Amino acid sequence: MPTESDTHYDPSLGNKFIFVTGGVMSGLGKGITAASTGRLLKNAGFDVTAVKIDPYLNVDAGTMNPYQHGEVYVLEDGGEVDLDLGNYERFLDIDMTSDHNITTGKTYQHVIEKERAGDYLGKTVQIIPHITDDIKRRIREAAEGTDVCIIEVGGTVGDIEGMPYLEALRQFAHEEPAENVLFTHVTLVPYSKNGEQKTKPTQHSVKEVRSIGLQPDVIVGRCDDRLDRQTKEKIALFCDIPTEAVFSNPDVDDVYQVPLMVEEEGLDQYVLEHFGLADDALPEGERTNDWREIVTTDKTGTVDIALVGKYDLEDAYMSIHESLKHAGFEVGIDVDVHWVAADDLSNGHDGQLESVDGIIVPGGFGMRGSEGKIEAVRYARENDIPFLGLCLGFQMAVVEYARNVLGLDGAHSAEMDEDTPHPVIDILPEQYEVDDMGGTMRLGEHTTVIEPQTLAYDLYGDTSCSERHRHRFEVNPGYFDRFEDEPLVFSGTAGNRMEILELETHPFFLGTQFHPEYTSRPGQPSPPFLGLVEAVLEHSGAHSATDGTDADTETEVTH
Ligand code: GLN
């Protein structure tokens, strides 16, 4: 909230709530639209937070396959949540908690536990009011202490599992003063064959929203281009809102451009006026403008980084992609990420690594692709290619070194090979008795002590760092002495736990047991990622963006 000296906002007016629903189809990027609006409100001086509602029955995203919902994002408090929370953290520059991800699993579990405890004695426990009350309570609690809370409902209006949430939002709006609530509906505006923007899908989805008792205040049309005036007028007329409340959200090259576009469309100003906050916002000239400066940095070239993973899906490694972009903003280059199937490398196809400037082996679970990941580490180590290993990538670097340098034949992680003669990576002692899969790993933020005069120290510029974790296995203490007097050193530790490794004889070879990608932000790139990109620039320089080396990268950006 702007301080008293720069605004006259009266906090007794209470929180403002922006509800965001989606129509026509999922995957329209309503999260990015919402986060972008939030970013602009933050630039205008307000404290903004967000809640993501996932109507699935899972308690959290921790047990989900990345092919279903993309990466599992890890919060400071150890919450394993939907990747949209990553977008909110990056766009709003906030640290969220598990309470900011509401799922059907969480709500029902809580209500059923209360029922078993006898809290509802005598009553019939029902979706309305018990589940809906719990949903409203969670939203109010998550919003506490902030000015504006954005609540995004996952999925599409009309989904059966989303119904209790929409009913809860209807009640919520009924209970709050009208000027404290704004409903935004994000929908698709496709083109017909003859190039006309079609509003019928929007009309139908708004009809669906209204049948539940919700009336959108704002409609955002996702389209290849900006919406024509005529399209906006048509949507306004048939959906019963002013034309000024219909906004475009056209495709852009990069999600970080969306706040700039939302600003051009005037969505933030419309929201401020709806809430009666326009006079409380910082004047235009005094608003933070660093976002624009960061994301529009001139790029002098391109570097190519291989991401050796299991899933051929950008969303499965979203935070890594974003961290590389943040590092790229900092040094003024584009980072092209080339997904390389770890499986292919295990079949001896390491030619795919010849054309890249740097290699990342990301986190992961299970046997599939592990030999390929080890092969990628070997290639990077032997050929002086800048290398970053994250979590499983760190573990595979230890395995590779044990096998190929220390001569420990058959060394492996006990996760992949229970019978390995050399389990250099082994289960965490506290995991011996753990059977349940959900929320049971070593999770969340832990502090790592960093050895001075090391690469890790240079990168973090400190004798400690706090990063987020998600693992069940670690370097086996029984093998620590084998690494003594080796150029591979563990430069970061947490008690008896190895957290960072580096290779003194290599231009840039770093592995982290933690996941630095979850704390990287535009303007505050994660040190290991920045280090990698800088090392790549030093090692092979940037290519001109037009020399064709980026031919097979993911250039199509959707949000
Ligand atoms: N599978 C490994 C472990 O559980 C690594 C986990 C990860 O990469 N997030 O320790």
Side-chain angles (χ1 to χ4, degrees):
M1 179 58 60
T3 57
E4 239 177 272
S5 59
D6 44 47
T7 73
H8 45 273
Y9 179 77
D10 175 3
S12 67
L13 292 174
N15 297 100
K16 306 292 184 186
F17 299 92
I18 303 178
F19 294 118
V20 184
T21 53
V24 185
M25 63 182 214
S26 62
L28 283 179
K30 51 184 185 300
I32 295 289
T33 313
S36 299
T37 313
R39 176 70 208 194
L40 295 169
L41 299 180
K42 186 183 165 110
N43 290 354
F46 299 97
D47 261 339
V48 183
T49 193
V51 169
K52 172 76 198 294
I53 292 175
D54 284 306
Y56 46 63
L57 275 166
N58 304 59
V59 171
D60 61 35
T63 57
M64 284 195 225
N65 182 317
Y67 270 133
Q68 306 248 311
H69 288 271
E71 80 177 2
V72 175
Y73 189 79
V74 181
L75 298 171
E76 188 179 319
D77 70 0
E80 297 171 282
V81 295
D82 185 84
L83 53 70
D84 274 320
L85 275 86
N87 285 324
Y88 286 114
E89 286 206 340
R90 289 185 282 264
F91 275 67
L92 301 176
D93 190 18
I94 52 170
D95 290 318
M96 302 167 88
T97 71
S98 312
D99 294 337
H100 293 248
N101 193 190
I102 303 178
T103 65
T104 300
K106 268 184 202 165
T107 350
Y108 277 65
Q109 192 176 50
H110 179 74
V111 169
I112 291 169
E113 273 167 13
K114 274 176 68 174
E115 186 276 330
R116 290 291 80 188
D119 289 7
Y120 303 110
L121 226 45
K123 296 206 181 88
T124 310
V125 183
Q126 291 177 299
I127 294 177
I128 303 167
H130 301 101
I131 294 292
T132 45
D133 279 354
D134 193 60
I135 295 166
K136 290 185 286 177
R137 171 188 68 82
R138 286 171 189 271
I139 293 171
R140 290 206 166 88
E141 283 178 12
E144 245 164 55
T146 63
D147 305 323
V148 181
C149 182
I150 297 168
I151 301 98
E152 176 194 348
V153 185
T156 308
V157 170
D159 296 345
I160 287 179
E161 51 186 19
M163 290 300 185
Y165 294 98
L166 298 177
E167 167 59 15
L169 299 194
R170 190 196 62 74
Q171 293 176 17
F172 197 108
H174 177 76
E175 290 160 8
E176 287 288 320
E179 68 277 12
N180 283 2
V181 177
L182 177 117
F183 275 102
T184 302
H185 190 61
V186 181
T187 136
L188 180 73
V189 179
Y191 275 105
S192 68
K193 273 209 185 98
N194 52 11
E196 202 187 331
Q197 294 180 342
K198 303 304 282 181
T199 65
K200 197 62 96 191
T202 301
Q203 294 180 40
H204 278 293
S205 87
V206 169
K207 206 167 151 197
E208 185 91 39
V209 178
R210 295 171 84 173
S211 72
I212 302 160
L214 305 177
Q215 167 62 41
D217 299 299
V218 160
I219 294 175
V220 178
R222 285 283 293 113
C223 187
D224 292 352
D225 306 296
R226 283 186 196 273
L227 301 184
D228 305 332
R229 178 79 199 169
Q230 221 185 344
T231 310
K232 286 188 175 182
E233 281 169 1
K234 217 165 166 189
I235 292 175
L237 176 66
F238 292 115
C239 303
D240 216 2
I241 63 170
T243 311
E244 295 65 48
V246 183
F247 297 89
S248 322
N249 188 353
D251 284 351
V252 288
D253 290 340
D254 186 86
V255 290
Y256 294 113
Q257 307 290 333
V258 179
L260 311 182
M261 209 207 34
V262 165
E263 193 173 32
E264 265 174 50
E265 284 272 319
L267 176 54
D268 55 326
Q269 192 55 28
Y270 191 87
V271 171
L272 287 172
E273 278 166 20
H274 175 94
F275 284 147
L277 289 178
D279 292 340
D280 303 297
L282 291 171
E284 291 275 349
E286 288 172 35
R287 294 188 190 176
T288 338
N289 211 12
D290 52 351
W291 184 273
R292 180 178 294 275
E293 278 159 34
I294 295 161
V295 306
T296 55
T297 329
D298 277 340
K299 307 285 174 54
T300 54
T302 305
V303 295
D304 297 288
I305 302 228
L307 181 62
V308 181
K310 204 154 94 170
Y311 304 103
D312 182 10
L313 177 72
E314 191 173 334
D315 275 1
Y317 304 106
M318 180 185 272
S319 294
I320 295 177
H321 282 267
E322 299 311 317
S323 301
L324 287 169
K325 279 191 215 166
H326 305 162
F329 289 145
E330 192 74 11
V331 296
I333 53 148
D334 278 316
V335 181
D336 275 349
V337 182
H338 302 254
W339 181 76
V340 173
D343 273 345
D344 278 1
L345 295 183
S346 42
N347 297 327
H349 294 145
D350 67 5
Q352 293 184 71
L353 299 177
E354 270 164 25
S355 57
V356 298
D357 308 309
I359 297 175
I360 292 181
V361 177
F365 295 83
M367 181 65 186
R368 185 165 78 77
S370 62
E371 288 305 319
K373 290 175 186 174
I374 294 168
E375 180 55 19
V377 178
R378 184 198 60 74
Y379 186 88
R381 183 178 59 75
E382 291 182 351
N383 295 290
D384 281 353
I385 310 287
F387 166 81
L388 180 59
L390 305 167
C391 204
L392 183 67
F394 161 94
Q395 297 174 356
M396 293 300 102
V398 173
V399 170
E400 192 278 327
Y401 197 86
R403 285 185 188 177
N404 299 332
V405 182
L406 302 181
L408 303 175
D409 284 347
H412 217 323
S413 162
E415 178 184 4
M416 323 292 168
D417 178 5
E418 280 181 18
D419 303 320
T420 167
H422 295 292
V424 288
I425 302 295
D426 205 357
I427 188 111
L428 292 158
E430 62 265 36
Q431 293 278 327
Y432 291 159
E433 308 294 328
V434 175
D435 289 325
D436 283 354
M437 296 296 279
T440 57
M441 283 187 250
R442 179 172 180 246
L443 290 166
E445 188 179 274
H446 297 279
T447 301
T448 295
V449 175
I450 299 174
E451 197 67 36
Q453 290 172 350
T454 58
L455 170 63
Y457 180 83
D458 286 348
L459 295 173
Y460 279 95
D462 204 344
T463 50
S464 71
C465 67
S466 291
E467 296 278 15
R468 302 180 190 175
H469 294 69
R470 182 172 187 247
H471 65 123
R472 247 182 253 288
F473 292 80
E474 64 173 349
V475 183
N476 183 344
Y479 283 86
F480 287 173
D481 59 348
R482 308 300 277 263
F483 289 88
E484 267 167 29
D485 306 321
E486 286 292 327
L488 187 141
V489 296
F490 292 105
S491 49
T493 52
N496 202 31
R497 213 149 256 172
M498 297 309 168
E499 291 275 3
I500 308 177
L501 67 75
E502 56 193 72
L503 191 53
E504 286 172 341
T505 48
H506 190 283
F508 187 95
F509 189 97
L510 190 85
T512 62
Q513 180 60 80
F514 49 77
H515 291 271
E517 67 269 28
Y518 295 134
T519 47
S520 188
R521 310 266 162 93
Q524 302 155 63
S526 158
F529 285 89
L530 182 59
L532 175 76
V533 168
E534 283 177 338
V536 159
L537 273 180
E538 207 161 294
H539 187 252
S540 40
H543 320 290
S544 103
T546 51
D547 68 3
T549 50
D550 55 350
D552 59 344
T553 50
E554 304 95 327
T555 43
E556 206 43 44
V557 175
T558 49
H559 55 268

